[in-house]
Amino acid sequence: MLRRIIDLITSLKLTIVCLAAGMVLIFTGTMAQVHLGIHEAQERYFQSWVVWWPMEGNGFRLPIFPGGHLIGAVLLVNLIAAHVKRFRWTSKKIGIHLIHAGLIIMLAGGLFTDLFAVESHMRLQRGDTKNYSEDQRHMELAVIDTSGNDLDQVTAIPESLLKNNRTIDHWSLPFRIVVRNFYQNADLKMLRDAGPAAKPIANQGPGAMIAVRPLPRTTAQDERDVPAAAIEIVPKEGNSLGTWLVSDALGAPQTFSCGGRTWMIAMRTARYYKPYSVTLQKFTHEKYAGTEIPKNFASKVTLIDPERSVNRDVLIYMNHPLRYRGETFYQAGFQQDDRATILQVVHNPSFLAPYVACIIVAAGLLWQFGFHLFGFARQKRTATV
Amino acid sequence: MKVRLAYLSFLVVALMACRRESDIKVYRVSKAPLEEAEPGQQAAMPANAPSPSMPGGLASGMPTRDASASPPKWTKPETWNEVPPSAMRFASFNAGATDNKVDVSIVTFSGEGGTDTDNVNRWRQQIGLPPMTPAAVTTQIEPLKSDDATFSLVDIAGANTRTLAAWTRRDGQVWFFKATGPSAAVEKEKTNFVKFVQSVRF
C-alpha cells in the first residue's frame, strides 16, 4: 500500500495530470472573469483549494474541480517526492538537482505568497501622516471604544463574519452585535428620493433616513462593492439600543453610548496598523513636454519609527520602492489633481523566493549545459588527437 | 501506515486552515478622526487599484431628519465657492485663494453627535494638537448667537493649520459647521465664517 502511494506521488503521470488540470483551471478561471470580475475569479479558482458549484449561496455545494492551491500543493509534493526518490549525489546530476531545487522554491514561494502576502494602499495628501494602510478589497466593521484619554480601542470585525442574523459576541465589547441584514453590495438613497414604498432598515443614526437597495456584486475591474449592514446593538445586560445602518458609503462613523462609554461604529476598508508613520512631504508628477503622458511619479516621504529611532526622508518612485520592516512601499498612483499620492504597501514574507529560485535555476542550467559542453569539447579534442 | 495517513491528513487540514483575515482583531490606536473623509477622498483610489462605485443620492440629501422637513437656509459669503459635497456632507464650500484654500463643511447627524470634549479633541488631533481635559475644552468654547439658534464656537490653531468649528443641536439633530485650512487663510475668513453661521435659519 505504502509502495503504491509512494509510486503515485512520485510519478510523472501525476505531474502531467496536475499540469493538465492547471491548464483547464487557467482557461475556465480566465473565462469566468467575464462574469465574476478578476478579483472574484482569482479567489474562487486560483486562491482556493477546490472550485465549488454552485458558487453562490450558503446551501449545499459540491466541489467540482481542484482549485489553484490544491493543484500547486500536489505539484509541489510530487516534485519534492520525485526529487528525493531519484536523488543521486554525482557531479553529473548537480545541475539537475539545482534546477529542481529552484522550481521547488518557486512553487512553494508562490503558494506562500498566495496564503500570506497582504496588499494594501496608503493614500496621503501633502502633509498627511498615517500609521496604517488600507485594503480596498476587504471591509471591516470597526467598533471603537473612544473613552480612553489618549488611545482608542478598536475591535475590527472582518466582513466575512457579517452574515444575516449572526450574533457577534466578543470579550472586548459589553454588547452583542446582531447582524439583521447584510448586503455585499448596495445602493444607498435618502428615503425621500427612494420612492414611497422605501423603508429604512435601521432606526438609529443617519440610517433611519436612508433606504438600502441590494445590488449584484460588481465585476468591473475599476469598481468595488459597497457593502452595507443593519446591525442591532444589544447590551449583554439590558435591552436593545436600536439598529444602525453601517456602510462605507456613509463616510463617517456613528456614535452611541453603552456601559458608560462612548462607542463609534463604522464599516470601512480593512486597516493594517504599523509601529511607524509615514508623512508625505512632496509629490511630483512630471509629464513629457507638451503632452499628458506621465514621465515620472515620485513621493518624498518622512519615515518615523520611534521604536528604532528612525527619522529619515525617503524618495519613492518607479522601480525604487521603500522596503521597511518587511513591507514594501511602491509608487502606485496619484489623485487626479495631483493633490495626493497613493502608495501600494505589500507585506510578502516570501518575496525573495522568485529571485532565489531564478538564481538557483540559472546556476543549475549553467552547470548542466556547461558540463555537457565541456564533455563534448573534450571528446572532440580526444577524437581529433 | 495509519500514523503516516494521520500525519498526512493533519498536514492537509492545517494547510486548508491557512486563511487570512477571518478573526476579530483588537488593538489600540491614537485617537482617530471621527467624521467625514476629506473632499474628493472617495475618488482618490490608486491608478492600479479599484475605485468604489459610490452610491448616489446621499451627497445632497443627508441632513433632513424626515422627508417633510425643509433644509436650513443660509447666506453664503460672496467670495466662497460651493463645491459638490462628499458622501457625508450636507454642503461644502471653498474659501480663499486656490493655493491657500479653506475647506468649509457642513455635516449633520441625528442624535447628539458625540460629546463636545470628544469632538473638540478630535479636531485638535486632526491638526496635530494634543487632547485637552473636559474642563479645559469647556473654556475654549464660546457661544455664538444668531436670530434662530445658539451655536457653540471653537477656534483651534495648530502649527500651520487652523480650524473653526460651530455646532448646534436642535430637534434631535446636531449640525456641525467647520472651516479648516492654513492658519493665515483661516484668519482672513474668520469674519466671513462667523457671519455665515449666524445667517443659518432652520
Side-chain angles (χ1 to χ4, degrees):
Chain A
M1 180 66 183
L2 179 62
R3 186 84 212 160
R4 285 172 65 186
I5 292 175
I6 291 173
D7 285 347
L8 175 69
I9 62 171
T10 57
S11 74
L12 187 61
K13 283 178 189 165
L14 184 61
T15 315
I16 301 295
V17 168
C18 284
L19 291 175
M23 285 169 66
V24 173
L25 187 74
I26 289 168
F27 179 76
T28 49
T30 307
M31 297 307 287
Q33 288 176 20
V34 175
H35 304 293
L36 297 176
I38 187 166
H39 298 283
E40 191 70 15
Q42 267 181 354
E43 280 183 14
R44 292 186 181 186
Y45 285 82
F46 307 124
Q47 296 170 343
S48 61
W49 291 96
V50 286
V51 180
W52 294 94
W53 184 85
M55 290 191 164
E56 298 290 349
N58 298 323
F60 181 72
R61 296 192 301 167
L62 279 175
I64 52 166
F65 202 76
H69 284 174
L70 186 56
I71 294 174
V74 172
L75 204 55
L76 180 64
V77 170
N78 174 242
L79 192 62
I80 294 172
H83 190 55
V84 169
K85 187 183 175 188
R86 298 180 179 92
F87 186 83
R88 298 285 180 277
W89 185 251
T90 63
S91 57
K92 255 186 178 179
K93 297 279 183 185
I94 286 178
I96 300 290
H97 295 328
L98 285 173
I99 293 166
H100 276 81
L103 288 175
I104 288 167
I105 291 171
M106 195 174 283
L107 270 173
L111 185 64
F112 276 89
T113 297
D114 234 17
L115 289 173
F116 302 114
V118 178
E119 273 187 30
S120 54
H121 289 90
M122 189 181 277
R123 175 192 173 281
L124 295 163
Q125 287 200 39
R126 193 173 169 187
D128 274 358
T129 299
K130 276 190 183 169
N131 64 344
Y132 63 86
S133 56
E134 294 169 279
D135 184 346
Q136 300 292 338
R137 281 280 150 211
H138 296 97
M139 306 296 291
E140 66 184 17
L141 176 65
V143 186
I144 306 165
D145 176 1
T146 63
S147 51
N149 284 333
D150 302 321
L151 298 171
D152 288 338
Q153 178 170 292
V154 181
T155 303
I157 302 164
E159 178 191 348
S160 57
L161 295 182
L162 302 178
K163 309 274 186 201
N164 281 342
N165 296 319
R166 175 175 281 186
T167 299
I168 295 163
D169 190 348
H170 196 260
W171 60 264
S172 64
L173 307 173
F175 48 82
R176 294 183 184 86
I177 296 173
V178 184
V179 184
R180 291 291 171 207
N181 305 86
F182 177 74
Y183 306 103
Q184 194 75 50
N185 192 17
D187 180 31
L188 273 55
K189 270 200 164 80
M190 292 306 296
L191 272 180
R192 65 181 181 196
D193 301 329
K199 285 185 180 166
I201 58 172
N203 56 23
Q204 299 291 321
M209 301 177 282
I210 291 170
V212 179
R213 185 169 62 96
L215 292 177
R217 299 197 66 176
T218 182
T219 57
Q221 203 172 335
D222 57 348
E223 291 182 358
R224 67 167 167 82
D225 292 334
V226 179
I231 57 165
E232 186 177 0
I233 305 294
V234 185
K236 289 181 180 170
E237 292 170 5
N239 296 324
S240 167
L241 299 181
T243 305
W244 277 261
L245 171 69
V246 287
S247 170
D248 189 22
L250 289 178
Q254 299 166 72
T255 55
F256 64 91
S257 296
C258 184
R261 286 180 275 173
T262 303
W263 299 82
M264 293 198 300
I265 44 169
M267 181 89 86
R268 66 186 190 191
T269 47
R271 290 185 180 183
Y272 304 111
Y273 280 88
K274 303 165 197 321
Y276 54 88
S277 67
V278 176
T279 305
L280 179 68
Q281 302 295 354
K282 190 181 176 187
F283 175 65
T284 314
H285 175 194
E286 294 171 19
K287 297 171 186 168
Y288 286 101
T291 73
E292 287 299 309
I293 300 169
K295 184 180 176 188
N296 185 35
F297 312 117
S299 300
K300 186 182 175 189
V301 299
T302 302
L303 176 70
I304 299 176
D305 185 344
E307 274 180 22
R308 297 187 177 180
S309 303
V310 171
N311 186 338
R312 61 184 166 100
D313 287 347
V314 184
L315 190 66
I316 301 171
Y317 57 104
M318 290 294 182
N319 301 322
H320 284 79
L322 160 68
R323 294 188 197 278
Y324 190 71
R325 280 201 178 210
E327 294 191 307
T328 310
F329 290 72
Y330 297 95
Q331 180 65 59
F334 59 95
Q335 199 176 351
Q336 290 307 316
D337 57 4
D338 290 356
R339 281 196 307 150
T341 186
I342 289 131
L343 304 172
Q344 185 184 30
V345 186
V346 179
H347 172 72
N348 182 4
S350 51
F351 80 98
L352 278 176
Y355 303 105
V356 173
C358 284
I359 291 169
I360 292 175
V361 168
L365 288 169
L366 270 176
W367 180 278
Q368 202 61 27
F369 287 126
F371 191 86
H372 285 293
L373 181 68
F374 285 117
F376 179 73
R378 203 179 303 123
Q379 277 178 5
K380 201 176 175 188
R381 202 180 310 128
T382 312
T384 312
V385 171
Chain B
M1 182 61 213
K2 281 181 183 170
V3 175
R4 281 201 183 93
L5 275 176
Y7 276 130
L8 189 66
S9 310
F10 176 77
L11 184 68
V12 170
V13 170
L15 274 171
M16 292 186 81
C18 289
R19 293 187 61 199
R20 294 172 299 177
E21 298 160 25
S22 56
D23 296 327
I24 295 175
K25 291 183 288 184
V26 179
Y27 47 80
R28 288 173 183 272
V29 293
S30 59
K31 294 279 181 186
L34 164 75
E35 62 194 76
E36 82 282 14
E38 290 297 314
Q41 182 159 341
Q42 301 288 11
M45 292 295 136
N48 62 348
S51 56
S53 171
M54 294 307 298
L58 276 179
S60 60
M62 282 306 295
T64 51
R65 188 150 183 256
D66 58 64
S68 60
S70 57
K73 293 182 172 60
W74 52 65
T75 308
K76 172 184 81 72
E78 282 180 10
T79 52
W80 289 11
N81 297 316
E82 187 157 6
V83 292
S86 59
M88 208 47 199
R89 290 186 175 196
F90 181 76
S92 285
F93 300 94
N94 279 340
T98 313
D99 55 347
N100 218 12
K101 215 163 44 181
V102 177
D103 173 41
V104 182
S105 64
I106 301 167
V107 178
T108 182
F109 300 102
S110 53
E112 289 292 301
T115 64
D116 290 353
T117 305
D118 286 347
N119 292 331
V120 171
N121 279 333
R122 190 178 61 256
W123 296 326
R124 288 177 62 81
Q125 287 185 326
Q126 284 171 353
I127 58 173
L129 294 173
M132 299 168 81
T133 62
V137 167
T138 309
T139 63
Q140 302 289 309
I141 300 172
E142 299 169 30
L144 176 64
K145 289 193 175 177
S146 73
D147 292 343
D148 200 31
T150 301
F151 293 84
S152 299
L153 176 71
V154 70
D155 185 346
I156 309 165
N160 303 308
T161 311
R162 186 168 164 182
T163 293
L164 299 170
W167 65 96
T168 187
R169 295 179 176 89
R170 55 185 296 141
D171 303 331
Q173 196 92 356
V174 59
W175 290 83
F176 293 104
F177 300 78
K178 195 154 78 82
T180 301
S183 300
V186 172
E187 174 62 32
K188 279 185 191 168
E189 294 298 332
K190 184 168 181 177
T191 312
N192 277 340
F193 179 77
V194 170
K195 279 185 188 168
F196 171 69
V197 172
Q198 286 178 320
S199 75
V200 175
R201 299 285 179 275
F202 291 97

